[in-house]
Amino acid sequence: MARIVVVTSGKGGVGKTTTSAAFAAGLARAGHRTAVVDFDVGLRNLDLIMGCERRVVYDFVNVINGEANLNQALIRDKRTQGLSILPASQTRDKDALTFEGVQAVLEGLAEDHDYIVCDSPAGIERGAHLAMYFADDALVVTNPEVSSVRDSDRVLGLLSSKTRRAEQGEDPVQEHLIITRYVPERVGKGEMLSVEDVGEILSIDLLGVIPESSAVLNASNSGVPVILEEQTDAGQAYDDVVARYLGQQREHRFITEKKGLFGRLFKG
């Protein structure tokens, strides 16, 4: 049975879509049939980051409305075997997503996939609620700054109370924390929350820390999930995230300040 993973946050611009693309590609590279679904109706950025925007013919809303079937709307990734993308509509509003329609699409995807990654819009409106409602796992993405962490805490409240698992009294959604745009040097100067600060506020399992990196923007502009850029720090960090999610033990990297030659010679 497919496992549904929502990638969510309370604040926009923290890297949810980048994370969704990288995480889904990583799962597929590990041999799991994976579909990634764009719930951000009206904006539609996932297909750009996945590099398949020119191949979009039908979208999520077309499938919900019966104007196309899943096989017609799913875009098979050319680089990663076993990875499919279901794009959002740019021409509809968020009310086009219905509870029954989303449920039917997820059930259809579950027949042929091991994982379904739901790329949620920011905030707590309808699209975000539907993206998280059916989830088994949640990747809560936050930047190490107070407003982002505070908004993520609000999302954690929704995950514990307004999901199918909560309503039916099942085991709760498994929550995992991903901290993005992390700069240890700024943490050292007191300009940014530390990993420990964020963990203390949110109190959920830390899945990974993604460093601030030009590789993320370069990969997005090229239409390549950054996890495929294996020589970059961000690509390696996302590879660690996927490995940890799948049960491997890996040390957290990119969370300590890099020392220059002088610092290495004269520690402390």
Side-chain angles (χ1 to χ4, degrees), residues 9-11 14 124 140-157 193 197-198 201-202:
S9 75
K11 194 171 184 286
V14 299
I124 56 173
V140 180
V141 183
T142 187
N143 292 158
E145 47 126 24
V146 172
S147 63
S148 180
V149 174
R150 179 191 61 197
D151 290 347
S152 293
D153 201 22
R154 188 174 184 188
V155 167
L156 290 175
L193 297 177
D197 292 333
V198 178
I201 295 169
L202 297 181

Side-chain angles (χ1 to χ4, degrees), residues 3-7 15-30 32 34-36 46 49-50 80 83 115-119 137-139 141 176 178 207-208 210 225-228 234-235 237-247:
R3 192 132 184 114
I4 299 174
V5 184
V6 63
V7 181
K16 282 187 306 301
T17 301
T18 294
T19 298
S20 297
F23 187 71
L27 290 173
R29 286 205 310 171
H32 303 285
T34 305
V36 56
L46 179 65
I49 290 179
M50 299 294 295
T80 309
L83 177 61
Y115 290 97
I116 303 167
V117 179
C118 301
D119 181 25
D137 300 321
L139 307 187
V141 183
H176 306 277
I178 297 179
L207 194 61
I210 313 301
V226 71
I227 196 171
L228 301 183
Y238 275 116
D239 186 67
D240 289 346
V241 163
V242 175
R244 290 189 198 99
Y245 176 80
L246 294 175

Side-chain angles (χ1 to χ4, degrees), residues 47-183:
D47 55 301
L48 292 171
I49 290 179
M50 299 294 295
C52 62
E53 69 276 8
R54 296 180 182 177
R55 297 169 59 198
V56 176
V57 178
Y58 294 109
D59 57 50
F60 194 3
V61 175
N62 290 137
V63 178
I64 287 176
N65 291 342
E67 299 158 352
N69 60 42
L70 267 176
N71 191 56
Q72 290 175 290
L74 280 175
I75 301 171
R76 274 73 184 180
D77 190 81
K78 292 181 178 180
R79 296 161 301 227
T80 309
Q81 185 176 0
L83 177 61
S84 299
I85 302 98
L86 181 59
S89 171
Q90 274 186 311
T91 59
R92 314 289 180 97
D93 61 33
K94 291 176 172 54
D95 290 335
L97 296 181
T98 65
F99 180 91
E100 294 78 14
V102 169
Q103 183 176 25
V105 168
L106 293 178
E107 289 175 351
L109 289 171
E111 295 176 5
D112 298 310
H113 295 88
D114 303 311
Y115 290 97
I116 303 167
V117 179
C118 301
D119 181 25
S120 172
I124 56 173
E125 42 71 40
R126 181 176 181 81
H129 177 240
L130 287 172
M132 73 170 61
Y133 181 80
F134 298 96
D136 300 304
D137 300 321
L139 307 187
V140 180
V141 183
T142 187
N143 292 158
E145 47 126 24
V146 172
S147 63
S148 180
V149 174
R150 179 191 61 197
D151 290 347
S152 293
D153 201 22
R154 188 174 184 188
V155 167
L156 290 175
L158 297 176
L159 287 167
S160 66
S161 61
K162 298 192 72 172
T163 60
R164 178 172 61 178
R165 284 178 168 270
E167 289 182 1
Q168 297 181 358
E170 299 176 359
D171 291 338
V173 174
Q174 293 296 305
E175 301 160 344
H176 306 277
L177 175 64
I178 297 179
I179 303 174
T180 56
R181 306 193 69 174
Y182 195 76
V183 184

Side-chain angles (χ1 to χ4, degrees), residues 218-253:
N218 293 339
S220 297
N221 287 340
S222 303
V224 177
V226 71
I227 196 171
L228 301 183
E229 302 289 353
E230 298 176 2
Q231 302 306 312
T232 67
D233 49 2
Q236 294 167 21
Y238 275 116
D239 186 67
D240 289 346
V241 163
V242 175
R244 290 189 198 99
Y245 176 80
L246 294 175
Q248 295 183 33
Q249 297 293 322
R250 290 199 182 180
E251 289 187 20
H252 287 282
R253 299 187 278 173

